[in-house]
Amino acid sequence: MSIIEVNHCDPPYFNGLNDGQRQAVLTTDGPLLVLAGAGTGKTRVLTTRLAYILQTGRAYPGQVLSVTFTNKAAQEMRHRVAGLLGQSVEGMWLGTFHSLAARMLRRCADRVGLQSNFTIIDPDDQVRLMKQLMEANHIDHKKWPAKAMIGRIDRWKDQGLMPSDVKADDAGDAAEGKLHALYHSYQARLKTINACDFGDLLLHMITILKNPQNKDILEDYHRRFKYIMVDEYQDTNVAQYLWLRLLAQGFGNICCVGDDDQSIYGWRGAEVENILRFEKDFNDAKIIRLEQNYRSTNTILSAANAVIANNEGRLGKTLFSAAGDGDKIIVRGLWDGQAEARWVAEEIEQLQIKKRSLNDIAVLIRAGFQTREFEERFIQLGVSYRVIGGPRFYERMEIRDALAYFRVVTSPQDDLALERIVNTPKRGIGGGTIQKLYAHARTHNFSLYEAIRDLTQTDHIKGKARGNLMKLIDDFERWRDHLSKMHHTELASMILDESGYLEMWQMDKSPDAAGRVENLKELVSSMADFENFGEFLEHVALVMENQDNKNADQVTIMTLHGAKGLEFPVVFLPGWEEGLFPSQRSMDENGLKGLEEERRLAYVGITRAREKAYISFAANRRMYGNWINSIPSRFVDELPQDHIETETESGMYGSGRTSHWDSSGFSSKPDVNPKDRFRVMPSSTGKSFSSKERTSRVTYQAGDRVFHESFGEGRVIHSDGRKLDIEFEEHGHKRIMDSFVEKV
């Protein structure tokens, strides 16, 4: 294939490049790190640089290795380069890490005991193979789910570790202490069936390229690839890093484009250290910073700059824009999650009045459970919305299962609900038994429930299935008897507990199990707003009617992680409270590293907004069944005062508008250094802890009459430390911190 025609004048596609972008394109030789801040045009730099290298004859298409993270990004780059050059470009090594590694491995598979026509198995096949190995080793895959064990092995592969590199102790007690041995068996079995999983594609190539006996292969790739380009370098894991370093030892012309401030996938194995140590890894490396943002106003960028500046692990850059200052960021404190959802919905309605399209608006949440209150409020007000990146709250599998239990309790004739959960969790009830039950139901015009009750009194169903079905019917009868005797939230908890459904997920070791448990707790918590089971289930049915219409004008609800790479004119960022955002779990598990990744997530959230941004937090939030007394996120403290407008609900923090918040959530003078304040950290138990207690406070007990600025007079019905349950004369039951009321 011939080299692309050389043009010694600046090509027309250079028009509009700013100084930083132009410098990044023209710096073709040696190691280069392009620190591309949010919205600074990194894709244009990558495609222009690639087109420039080809057009100036610096390399043939086949001499360039260009690596992306998704097939979509690779296709877009190929299309753009062709557009810039005015002709299609064939022969480039352009693709994802896995696709390029697979292409290499097919050429030298024999070096790791495979044939060139090896099969690449998918995650389902991985789990199936692991189950077979666990059964052969008499390991209970119910206690140690095969999917979770594969997850552990995948993480080792992401770190570039073959079975021989892993110590037996590294696996702990997983798979009854046999996970290390299972890894050996798993890899051996894959070779026997001439197969690889996705992790093997890179791992095998690293093994080949590192082996001195394969020097010929490494030298061939060193001669072949004159230029290496990598997108989203901050998201690379250890294996990807090792593979790139081995290939870059040839010509040394490696260009990595990324943003250390947007490294938010540590939980997937991404190592921000890869980008932070670029200068140490590559001699004479050059760093070019892209800081001119083409997306947001300077007010939004200044806020993002101020927050991310608190991270120690970063190379540093400051975004700016030619778009002007724009509106200040609205920071709003509210009483609870419901009030927050009401406020967001009302603000959206006001934006609609001003002719703002709903498609322009996004609500970006930290945790999946937050979607529920926004979904329900939007439905009540008729605000159309879509949930991106996952099902709506009531459409999630675990929620549908729980609702099926509740439906059968209230309506035994609900065959669809009963069939859904009759063998969930496993009760030894197979398809044949279900068919027998349905045949009996049709013959006698019974419901499935009645058929079970009838047939279990005969010998038509035998063994374990019969006993478990009899117990299930007895449980439903007992739960139904409690409908009029027990509060429906307590009954819901009892059903999920006694049915074994909650325990099923608590014992599940799969990565998403913990989130499912949290969603179940959130479901029970949400029921408190309704009088009984029936009213709640009717509400859910109405919520489920709100179906997606992809062509409709709709607000987008999605997680902060899912929003990376996207932008919206208007962004709402709710739930900025300690323990929720930053996530307590992330900080508990990863310490300072976890906190800094959470702060990068805040930076990503702010920089999704083009024109307007709203940040909110709640003084009280019901999380997974517990009321949590919340304080504003430390990220709220880090927002620059000149670029935000702060508001709180009347009486919440002493006034309707405040200039700042102290660690206990009360207004404070702006000259107080946030680092000098103590912080209250919400725990998963719903209790709060602080490094020093507030002194000289009034104590309350049941029966005390109190006054609240917003809710008026009421009576304390329960005191739990500083948290008071109060029945207000005009506003009903509220849970409030003692600092917000005074004795009458």
Side-chain angles (χ1 to χ4, degrees):
M1 183 173 293
S2 62
I3 295 178
I4 301 296
E5 181 184 352
V6 178
N7 184 348
H8 295 289
C9 300
D10 278 354
Y13 52 78
F14 270 44
N15 294 337
L17 292 177
N18 63 40
D19 290 343
Q21 292 172 331
R22 184 183 179 86
Q23 187 181 5
V25 170
L26 294 174
T27 304
T28 56
D29 296 333
L32 172 65
L33 175 62
V34 180
L35 277 182
T40 56
K42 74 175 180 66
T43 302
R44 183 178 184 190
V45 167
L46 275 168
T47 53
T48 304
R49 189 176 189 275
L50 180 51
Y52 177 72
I53 287 171
L54 296 175
Q55 188 178 42
T56 55
R58 286 171 166 78
Y60 292 97
Q63 293 176 314
V64 178
L65 178 71
S66 189
V67 190
T68 65
F69 265 85
T70 66
N71 289 316
K72 181 180 178 182
Q75 291 168 1
E76 181 181 358
M77 185 176 294
R78 189 182 301 276
H79 177 74
R80 285 200 187 191
V81 171
L84 293 176
L85 295 175
Q87 63 185 89
S88 63
V89 182
E90 301 297 332
M92 284 192 300
W93 286 65
L94 171 59
T96 65
F97 281 96
H98 288 131
S99 67
L100 293 170
R103 183 176 173 183
M104 291 180 176
L105 186 57
R106 297 230 181 253
R107 298 181 169 202
C108 54
D110 60 305
R111 305 293 178 104
V112 286
L114 294 170
Q115 300 173 35
S116 60
N117 63 341
F118 61 82
T119 300
I120 302 173
I121 65 173
D122 62 24
D124 287 342
D125 290 331
Q126 285 184 270
V127 172
R128 192 176 301 111
L129 176 55
M130 178 55 69
K131 278 185 178 178
Q132 293 172 4
L133 295 173
M134 294 177 75
E135 288 171 355
N137 286 273
H138 308 292
I139 300 170
D140 185 356
H141 57 76
K142 292 182 179 178
K143 183 178 180 182
W144 302 100
K147 184 177 180 181
M149 299 304 98
I150 285 295
R152 294 282 295 272
I153 290 174
D154 284 344
R155 285 195 288 275
W156 282 331
K157 292 186 177 184
D158 288 344
Q159 295 166 11
L161 301 176
M162 292 291 287
S164 58
D165 301 317
V166 178
K167 297 178 181 178
D169 292 343
D170 293 341
D173 65 346
E176 300 175 7
K178 299 178 182 178
L179 182 57
H180 181 245
L182 282 174
Y183 187 14
H184 278 277
S185 301
Y186 176 77
Q187 291 301 104
R189 183 60 182 162
L190 284 175
K191 284 190 179 181
T192 299
I193 62 175
N194 192 36
C196 295
D197 61 26
F198 283 103
D200 286 328
L201 299 173
L202 280 167
L203 193 59
H204 284 323
M205 280 311 306
I206 292 169
T207 300
I208 291 170
L209 297 175
K210 285 173 62 177
N211 189 337
Q213 296 180 1
N214 300 320
K215 186 178 179 181
D216 58 321
I217 296 176
L218 182 60
E219 288 179 346
D220 177 63
Y221 283 120
H222 284 169
R223 288 190 298 269
R224 178 186 301 272
F225 297 132
K226 293 183 67 175
Y227 292 94
I228 298 175
M229 296 173 61
V230 188
D231 191 13
E232 302 285 11
Y233 189 60
Q234 78 281 348
D235 292 335
T236 53
N237 60 34
V238 174
Q240 292 161 342
Y241 161 81
L242 292 173
W243 180 72
L244 287 168
R245 282 217 55 193
L246 285 164
L247 294 173
Q249 291 170 1
F251 284 93
N253 298 326
I254 181 170
C255 171
C256 295
V257 180
D259 184 3
D260 53 331
D261 291 334
Q262 294 189 78
S263 180
I264 58 173
Y265 298 119
W267 48 280
R268 284 188 192 166
E271 284 285 347
V272 69
E273 289 297 322
N274 291 348
I275 194 170
L276 296 179
R277 64 167 180 249
F278 188 87
E279 287 181 290
K280 295 180 180 178
D281 287 337
F282 299 99
N283 295 329
D284 302 320
K286 186 171 185 178
I287 295 181
I288 295 174
R289 289 169 169 80
L290 303 184
E291 298 176 303
Q292 183 172 354
N293 176 282
Y294 292 91
R295 173 190 300 156
S296 307
T297 65
N298 274 311
T299 293
I300 290 169
L301 297 178
S302 295
N305 289 333
V307 170
I308 200 63
N310 290 275
N311 268 7
E312 296 177 6
R314 64 189 297 259
L315 296 171
K317 61 185 173 303
T318 302
L319 299 183
F320 66 92
S321 170
D325 291 339
D327 296 336
K328 287 188 175 183
I329 295 175
I330 301 297
V331 181
R332 182 71 184 263
L334 298 120
W335 276 111
D336 54 32
Q338 286 186 330
E340 182 181 55
R342 284 196 301 272
W343 173 71
V344 169
E346 289 165 1
E347 289 295 322
I348 290 174
E349 286 187 316
Q350 290 302 310
L351 290 168
Q352 281 187 287
I353 291 173
K354 297 175 183 177
K355 306 302 181 183
R356 174 70 74 178
S357 167
L358 293 181
N359 287 332
D360 289 347
I361 303 170
V363 179
L364 307 182
I365 57 173
R366 176 61 185 89
F369 79 88
Q370 291 175 266
T371 65
R372 182 188 60 81
E373 286 178 324
F374 291 105
E375 288 185 61
E376 294 189 349
R377 190 61 186 171
F378 289 168
I379 288 168
Q380 289 173 11
L381 296 179
V383 176
S384 184
Y385 71 93
R386 64 173 68 87
V387 178
I388 303 295
R392 298 166 188 260
F393 183 80
Y394 292 114
E395 292 172 346
R396 294 168 186 171
M397 177 182 68
E398 67 276 12
I399 302 302
R400 285 182 176 271
D401 287 346
L403 291 173
Y405 273 102
F406 303 160
R407 284 162 55 187
V408 176
V409 170
T410 57
S411 178
Q413 291 76 30
D414 192 334
D415 283 5
L416 294 176
L418 181 55
E419 183 179 358
R420 181 181 180 92
I421 49 83
V422 69
N423 201 36
T424 306
K426 298 294 184 183
R427 299 185 174 94
I429 303 164
T433 301
I434 295 295
Q435 290 178 9
K436 190 179 295 185
L437 289 167
Y438 265 125
H440 188 71
R442 287 192 298 270
T443 300
H444 298 279
N445 197 26
F446 283 169
S447 67
L448 181 61
Y449 188 94
E450 291 171 311
I452 293 173
R453 189 164 54 185
D454 196 45
L455 273 187
T456 51
Q457 303 304 314
T458 72
D459 292 331
H460 286 84
I461 297 177
K462 300 178 181 180
K464 183 180 179 181
R466 179 185 180 187
N468 286 340
L469 283 171
M470 291 177 68
K471 181 181 182 303
L472 182 62
I473 293 298
D474 288 344
D475 284 341
F476 275 120
E477 296 288 346
R478 180 167 45 81
W479 295 330
R480 191 171 302 111
D481 187 54
H482 285 307
L483 278 172
S484 60
K485 303 175 182 178
M486 181 182 290
H487 193 274
H488 57 289
T489 56
E490 295 177 2
L491 179 55
S493 296
M494 175 187 288
I495 293 169
L496 295 178
D497 184 37
E498 294 184 352
S499 66
Y501 188 76
L502 182 61
E503 182 184 21
M504 179 186 78
W505 287 116
Q506 289 172 331
M507 298 300 293
D508 195 312
K509 301 294 194 302
S510 59
D512 57 351
R516 296 188 190 278
V517 171
E518 291 172 349
N519 288 336
L520 289 169
K521 292 179 179 178
E522 174 64 17
L523 174 68
V524 175
S525 175
S526 70
M527 297 173 68
D529 299 324
F530 301 88
E531 290 294 325
N532 51 51
F533 263 84
E535 184 179 307
F536 172 70
L537 291 172
E538 182 177 345
H539 165 76
V540 172
L542 294 173
V543 169
M544 299 281 278
E545 284 185 351
N546 186 49
Q547 297 296 320
D548 272 332
N549 181 346
K550 293 182 180 180
N551 298 319
D553 190 29
Q554 295 177 320
V555 174
T556 297
I557 304 175
M558 65 191 312
T559 65
L560 287 161
H561 283 100
K564 184 175 178 292
L566 302 178
E567 57 184 73
F568 302 88
V570 181
V571 168
F572 288 86
L573 300 165
W576 281 41
E577 300 133 31
E578 288 293 308
L580 175 54
F581 190 44
S583 159
Q584 189 65 47
R585 178 186 297 174
S586 180
M587 292 187 291
D588 287 345
E589 293 178 356
N590 301 297
L592 179 61
K593 186 177 180 180
L595 172 61
E596 295 213 338
E597 181 157 320
E598 289 288 294
R599 187 176 280 113
R600 292 194 291 270
L601 195 55
Y603 171 85
V604 166
I606 296 170
T607 55
R608 296 314 92 193
R610 293 208 300 259
E611 301 169 25
K612 296 179 71 68
Y614 299 77
I615 294 172
S616 57
F617 57 88
N620 302 280
R621 189 177 295 277
R622 192 165 51 202
M623 293 174 61
Y624 316 131
N626 296 313
W627 275 102
I628 304 294
N629 166 232
S630 305
I631 60 170
S633 167
R634 67 192 72 196
F635 305 150
V636 173
D637 280 342
E638 294 166 1
L639 295 167
Q641 294 300 297
D642 292 343
H643 295 87
I644 64 174
E645 182 178 327
T646 62
E647 303 175 354
T648 66
E649 290 191 315
S650 178
M652 183 174 161
Y653 297 129
S655 65
R657 289 177 180 267
T658 62
S659 57
H660 219 71
W661 295 275
D662 72 6
S663 58
S664 59
F666 291 85
S667 58
S668 65
K669 295 180 180 179
D671 59 350
V672 176
N673 187 340
K675 295 182 180 179
D676 293 335
R677 309 192 193 104
F678 69 93
R679 289 195 174 279
V680 178
M681 300 299 290
S683 74
S684 60
T685 61
K687 296 184 179 180
S688 300
F689 302 89
S690 64
S691 56
K692 67 179 184 179
E693 292 293 330
R694 299 177 67 217
T695 59
S696 304
R697 64 179 180 83
V698 178
T699 58
Y700 296 85
Q701 57 186 0
D704 286 345
R705 298 286 299 176
V706 296
F707 175 81
H708 184 277
E709 183 172 338
S710 294
F711 302 138
E713 289 191 8
R715 180 174 60 84
V716 177
I717 57 177
H718 179 68
S719 173
D720 179 12
R722 292 186 57 203
K723 290 178 284 188
L724 305 177
D725 287 294
I726 302 172
E727 189 70 26
F728 289 100
E729 293 174 357
E730 296 184 5
H731 293 274
H733 179 270
K734 301 285 183 184
R735 173 163 283 201
I736 291 175
M737 295 301 295
D738 59 6
S739 312
F740 298 157
V741 299
E742 58 185 16
K743 284 187 177 180
V744 177

